[in-house]
Amino acid sequence: MSTKIAIVTGANSGMGLATTIELARQGYRVIMACRSEKRGQQALEEALRQSGSTAIELMLCDLGSLESIRHFAQSFRERYDTLDVLVNNAGVVMLKRQETSDGFEQGIGINHLGHFLLTLLLIEPLKAAEQGRIVNVSSGAYKAGKIHFEDPHLNKGYNPIKSYAQSKLANVLFTRVLARKLADTRITVNCLHPGAVGTSIGVDRNTGFGTRIMALVGKLPFFLSPEDGAQTAIYLATSPEVAGVTGRYFYQQKDQELKVHALDTATAERFWTWSEEQVVLRPEEKL
């Protein structure tokens, strides 16, 4: 039996690192998709040490750059024919509005559009797996979210809650439409709320500002550890209990009913088309 292969985005810290370590412990070959080579290498050493596995590797991928995502996907496909698990974990919350290298507002750009493109570029190796699984880390913040079609990149009236909630609703809508489009394949797609986790999500990607603040927040008693926060993602990635489940939203390893606005098919389809246009999806890459 060949070793199963998993990709975890944002694998250099927090839930991404915890997910990497646990998947490696379970015998997966794990590719850590990280933006920073320095932080990625440090996390790789930690993951190898904690997991006891030698089957973990680092591949650079900046989800804030369409060019970087395309390079990563091409490099992966040149080296591997199959992909069993894709955990779209990376996420940001920006206190002030910032843009990706492609001019996207970072919340929607990294949390959704980057993962949207990455996932679609990896569909073929996922199809080639015995049972490919896509796991999207969303958040209960989707409940406060709205897709601001009139200003999706929040050029006017930006605030971090508005940005984050929109991007987490985007994760849910993406999950539902993708599951429908892949209904005739062996690939499942699910999303989850990890709970309130003390991670580095509020840290500025460029300056590191907020690192000490988030470290203190993570020590508060009502925050989950990254290991606890990662449990539902690991469950969706590995458990035989959800082998045939797709298009669902989970919390604490249990299927949850979505709020009405997240079930709006017309909004989800419109948003999918908008996403295709934003990442300049090529005809052969569309589902």
Side-chain angles (χ1 to χ4, degrees):
M1 182 177 170
S2 59
T3 301
K4 289 187 176 181
I5 299 167
I7 292 173
V8 180
T9 69
N12 62 283
S13 66
M15 289 188 299
L17 180 55
T19 302
T20 296
I21 292 167
E22 182 55 34
L23 290 176
R25 284 175 178 158
Q26 292 192 28
Y28 285 76
R29 179 169 194 83
V30 186
I31 288 86
M32 302 174 71
C34 303
R35 182 176 69 99
S36 164
E37 184 162 17
K38 180 181 178 182
R39 291 194 293 271
Q41 284 291 348
Q42 291 171 343
L44 173 60
E45 292 171 14
E46 184 69 12
L48 292 167
R49 184 183 68 79
Q50 287 199 39
S51 68
S53 170
T54 56
I56 311 174
E57 62 182 292
L58 172 67
M59 289 180 66
L60 297 183
C61 181
D62 181 357
L63 287 159
S65 163
L66 299 180
E67 181 182 6
S68 175
I69 294 164
R70 287 190 172 278
H71 182 264
F72 172 90
Q74 181 179 344
S75 298
F76 176 84
R77 292 182 65 171
E78 286 171 354
R79 296 166 64 182
Y80 298 99
D81 295 324
T82 63
L83 175 60
D84 296 273
V85 173
L86 172 61
V87 182
N88 288 321
N89 162 81
V92 298
V93 182
M94 308 309 297
L95 296 179
K96 294 183 179 179
R97 187 184 182 280
Q98 295 189 39
E99 293 186 348
T100 69
S101 59
D102 300 291
F104 304 146
E105 184 271 316
Q106 281 199 7
I108 198 80
I110 294 166
N111 298 355
H112 167 63
L113 290 171
H115 284 124
F116 178 87
L117 177 61
L118 176 66
T119 303
L120 294 185
L121 295 179
L122 295 172
I123 290 296
E124 290 308 312
L126 282 160
K127 282 183 177 177
E130 184 179 341
Q131 199 245 301
R133 299 191 187 197
I134 299 167
V135 180
N136 297 322
V137 179
S138 181
S139 164
Y142 90 84
K143 296 173 186 177
K146 174 188 175 185
I147 303 302
H148 299 274
F149 285 110
E150 74 289 352
D151 182 25
H153 292 295
L154 307 181
N155 289 291
K156 300 173 184 175
Y158 176 88
N159 74 63
I161 296 173
K162 182 178 178 181
S163 164
Y164 189 66
Q166 174 177 250
S167 74
K168 295 292 103 178
L169 175 59
N171 296 153
V172 175
L173 298 178
F174 172 48
T175 296
R176 293 186 59 249
V177 178
L178 184 60
R180 184 183 60 74
K181 288 179 177 288
L182 296 174
D184 61 348
T185 73
R186 295 191 298 269
I187 302 172
T188 60
V189 195
N190 292 291
C191 59
L192 66 116
H193 170 45
V197 183
T199 71
S200 60
I201 192 167
V203 176
D204 190 291
R205 319 173 79 223
N206 299 315
T207 66
F209 178 76
T211 303
R212 285 187 292 178
I213 296 171
M214 293 311 293
L216 291 171
V217 165
K219 292 177 181 175
L220 293 173
F222 49 84
F223 273 81
L224 297 174
S225 69
E227 290 75 19
D228 288 338
Q231 288 307 305
T232 301
I234 294 162
Y235 172 76
L236 292 173
T238 64
S239 175
E241 293 179 8
V242 288
V245 177
T246 192
R248 304 299 298 175
Y249 171 80
F250 283 76
Y251 174 51
Q252 294 182 337
Q253 302 181 32
K254 291 182 173 58
D255 192 346
Q256 305 287 317
E257 288 301 318
L258 287 163
K259 297 298 182 183
V260 173
H261 72 297
L263 296 170
D264 188 316
T265 301
T267 297
E269 294 288 350
R270 181 184 176 190
F271 185 61
W272 180 282
T273 301
W274 176 83
S275 301
E276 286 183 334
E277 292 167 351
Q278 292 295 295
V279 302
V280 197
L281 208 64
R282 298 163 187 164
E284 67 274 15
E285 295 165 349
K286 295 183 179 182
L287 293 177

